[in-house]
Amino acid sequence: MHILETVWLGAAAAKVLTQACINKACSAKRVTISNPPVNLWDANVIEEFNTFMHSLNNQNETKVVVFDSDTADFWAAHIDLNLFQPDAIPGRNSSALFETYYENLDLLLTTPVIFIGEVNGRAWGAGDEHLLRMDMRFAGPHAQFGAPEAAVGLIHVGALQQLVRLIGPGRASEYMLAAAQVSGHEAARVGWVNSVHPSAEALRNHVDSVATRISLFPVETLRATKASIAEQAPSKSILDNDRARFNQLAAIPQVQQNVEDIIRLSKNQSRSWELNNNDNIVRYLY
């Protein structure tokens, strides 16, 4: 891949996750993603998310975690495309960051805590991959979902199999192969999310109600139920297979060029581009 002459927009050690209690016992927590302007899934998010996930192991206090966002119009965007450039981020090893990224996806399935996504903005690419590995997903009126990977030349490696399980192979093929942008109402209709709500307030009230109710029950019961449901999920070997496919595709010169072109055309993943990321990739690359 050619060396890209661009400035990385991330800031080392920036605080991107904040925590708050939902109930009095704080057994139900809200974790807010704050990485403006688009909640790009960059090195800081990957590392801080990993630290948080590991903090949930070997404890009984936290039963439920709700992930939301305080960044207008975005729940979480795709992965920082600069990570595809090995030396583009000063002081960060891209290969190690990708390993941490995949570990985070696995931790969402294996950590004995119930994870809920509260989405009232865009969940693109990496954002959607993490969302689909949570136990439940709820949408607000401004929610949008999508995977731009096919338009880039890649696959939705972290959650393609989860999406197939939720909405079926036909619909997954339609949305993934077309790199579609899917509204919250459409996502709820097909099963991408549990339900859609008419306002941000209604969404918050519903999610808080669900999280608070779940947190009443014995932690052993919650863990056993999650473990039983997880046994029906795609195996880790399937993710390994998709990772191999992703890596093979990422090595194709045309895909490498697409990544560089998108960073250039988007002015390094600017807000104006990211609002319609999938459609913009199709419009300007093809």
Side-chain angles (χ1 to χ4, degrees), residues 115-157:
F115 298 111
I116 300 174
E118 179 185 302
V119 184
N120 196 27
R122 288 149 180 81
W124 298 149
D128 187 61
E129 289 182 353
H130 285 72
L131 183 69
L132 285 170
R133 284 177 167 256
M134 295 180 186
D135 301 288
M136 286 165 268
R137 294 151 291 280
F138 299 97
H142 305 299
Q144 290 190 53
F145 307 88
E149 284 87 350
V152 181
L154 299 166
I155 63 172
H156 200 40
V157 60

Side-chain angles (χ1 to χ4, degrees), residues 155-170:
I155 63 172
H156 200 40
V157 60
L160 183 55
Q161 304 305 328
Q162 275 76 16
L163 190 64
V164 170
R165 185 168 62 98
L166 285 170
I167 70 177

Side-chain angles (χ1 to χ4, degrees), residues 166-223:
L166 285 170
I167 70 177
R171 286 191 173 116
S173 295
E174 176 186 356
Y175 296 133
M176 294 296 98
L177 293 173
Q181 298 184 177
V182 181
S183 71
H185 288 280
E186 177 76 0
R189 183 183 70 82
V190 301
W192 198 315
V193 298
N194 292 56
S195 57
V196 63
H197 300 269
S199 67
E201 181 181 12
L203 172 64
R204 176 62 53 90
N205 289 339
H206 179 76
V207 171
D208 280 355
S209 176
V210 170
T212 300
R213 186 180 177 97
I214 290 172
S215 69
L216 297 173
F217 307 142
V219 67
E220 296 85 0
T221 300
L222 302 181
R223 290 178 174 182

